[in-house]
Amino acid sequence: MVSRSGAGQPTAEPVSADTKAFTKPEGPSQEFSGKIKVSQKSPSRKDLEKVADLPLLDRNGEARSFKSLHSDPEHRDVETLIIFIRHFFCGNCQEYLRTLCSSVTAESLAALSPPKKIVVIGCGQPELIDFYAEASSCHFPIYADPTRKLYQELQMISTKSPGSRPDYQQRSILSISIESIFQGLSRGRNALKGGDFWQVGGEFLIKDGETLWCHRMSSTRDHTEVPELRKILGLDDGARIPLRKRWSSNGGVRRSLSLRSPSWRSRSRGAGRKISYEKLLEDKMEEDKENQPSGNDTAEVNGGKA
């Protein structure tokens, strides 16, 4: 089993005999070095049966089995794409879901033949699911695996290597990092419930107990690019990925301000200035909305024209 382990701590049991444990590197000099080799072998039916009953938590803390998310006896033809994200404060994964959700909808997936659906799983506590759904503009169901047992059994690794910049990242890494830190600090008592910062995820397409395709991340920004994912899902219509509006779609600082916990607001000094700043951003959004040209403005992710 691929998992993080510290000195003197036991690692999880492997899924197969040839699977090696991934150990957290010692010292900061190794933290971002090299390219990690990750197995992209699809889990077998036996592997999926092994994890079928592992519990996942919904937004209310209610448990559901992993199998119930991807296998329905009454709808065996449905294919389920399960996206495993990092911790709930990861700005890179939030960027990924914003870009994905601006291009793929539940309605477009249901209209495919065979029909498909998307489920998102994070490694934090369920108390943060509602926050995460709003912060990432995710309209797909989100569940939590705070034990990371499912991540480990499906051989997803732990690393802090950032890898190369992906196309789905439409904002600067500085902006993403600042917002991620601010989100954590503004969660009050839930600040430490986002999940393991080393854990990375991946994507698994499953149908009736069989893995049709999978991709495991080798870095913190290694999600499958959205155009490639669209082709895998059967949405290979050549549609452009919308370039999200800087103010109206991304939200940025305004999103973080609106998601503050009440305890943070009550403790903040200069609350009046923060409220005025949020009002200023809202006025800016209204101005952009009034000046926005009619029609649907889309652009290519990489320097295309609207």
Side-chain angles (χ1 to χ4, degrees):
M1 181 59 51
V2 178
S3 63
R4 174 170 60 85
S5 62
Q9 293 180 347
T11 57
E13 290 296 323
V15 172
S16 58
D18 60 349
T19 300
K20 297 179 180 180
F22 177 81
T23 305
K24 179 177 177 179
E26 297 295 334
S29 61
Q30 299 182 43
E31 188 169 303
F32 299 101
S33 63
K35 183 174 178 59
I36 301 169
K37 293 183 179 180
V38 181
S39 170
Q40 300 299 346
K41 181 180 179 181
S42 296
S44 64
R45 281 187 175 273
K46 185 177 181 180
D47 293 332
L48 292 182
E49 289 173 1
K50 182 179 179 181
V51 299
D53 295 325
L54 287 181
L56 297 168
L57 305 178
D58 64 16
R59 57 191 294 270
N60 298 314
E62 299 291 331
R64 290 188 57 175
S65 69
F66 176 58
K67 183 178 181 180
S68 71
L69 300 184
H70 64 75
S71 295
D72 184 348
E74 297 182 0
H75 301 91
R76 294 182 179 276
D77 60 329
V78 176
E79 298 177 3
T80 304
L81 177 68
I82 301 177
I83 300 176
F84 289 86
I85 58 171
R86 299 179 65 228
H87 58 89
F88 283 137
F89 298 126
C90 175
N92 294 319
C93 289
Q94 291 180 18
E95 272 289 278
Y96 182 65
L97 289 179
R98 290 181 196 125
T99 303
L100 176 67
C101 292
S102 70
S103 172
V104 179
T105 65
E107 291 75 17
S108 63
L109 293 174
L112 295 172
S113 181
K116 298 176 177 65
K117 64 179 182 179
I118 291 178
V119 173
V120 177
I121 297 176
C123 63
Q125 296 291 337
E127 295 94 320
L128 289 170
I129 288 179
D130 284 344
F131 148 78
Y132 189 81
E134 185 174 352
S136 62
S137 302
C138 181
H139 47 71
F140 299 114
I142 302 175
Y143 295 88
D145 176 22
T147 68
R148 298 187 297 122
K149 182 66 173 177
L150 188 55
Y151 286 78
Q152 295 166 356
E153 292 290 345
L154 295 180
Q155 302 183 41
M156 284 169 276
I157 70 168
S158 293
T159 179
K160 280 190 178 179
S161 171
S164 57
R165 175 170 177 163
D167 290 342
Y168 63 76
Q169 183 182 316
Q170 298 186 17
R171 298 165 55 201
S172 71
I173 187 63
L174 177 61
S175 171
I176 293 173
S177 299
I178 291 175
E179 185 176 25
S180 179
I181 293 171
F182 187 82
Q183 286 177 352
L185 293 175
S186 64
R187 288 296 90 199
R189 67 180 62 185
N190 290 327
L192 300 178
K193 296 182 178 181
D196 191 296
F197 277 46
W198 283 81
Q199 183 68 62
V200 297
E203 301 84 37
F204 295 76
L205 185 62
I206 301 175
K207 177 182 179 181
D208 193 25
E210 179 182 0
T211 307
L212 304 179
W213 168 86
C214 82
H215 166 257
R216 296 178 182 88
M217 297 170 65
S218 62
S219 70
T220 61
R221 302 186 293 181
D222 190 33
H223 281 293
T224 302
E225 292 284 5
V226 174
E228 180 181 351
L229 201 61
R230 287 179 58 89
K231 291 181 181 180
I232 292 169
L233 291 170
L235 296 169
D236 53 351
D237 50 9
R240 293 179 174 181
I241 306 303
L243 183 63
R244 302 187 311 272
K245 295 296 183 182
R246 180 175 180 181
W247 290 90
S248 60
S249 297
N250 180 20
V253 177
R254 179 182 182 276
R255 183 188 305 277
S256 297
L257 287 168
S258 66
L259 294 175
R260 280 184 178 164
S261 63
S263 60
W264 170 272
R265 290 182 179 180
S266 63
R267 293 196 306 268
S268 298
R269 295 181 180 179
R273 289 193 299 273
K274 292 182 174 66
I275 294 174
S276 297
Y277 185 50
E278 184 174 11
K279 181 64 166 59
L280 179 63
L281 293 178
E282 290 176 349
D283 292 342
K284 172 63 178 174
M285 292 179 64
E286 284 296 323
E287 180 182 343
D288 288 350
K289 184 176 180 180
E290 293 175 0
N291 296 331
Q292 182 178 348
S294 59
N296 295 326
D297 287 349
T298 58
E300 295 182 0
V301 172
N302 290 321
K305 296 182 179 180

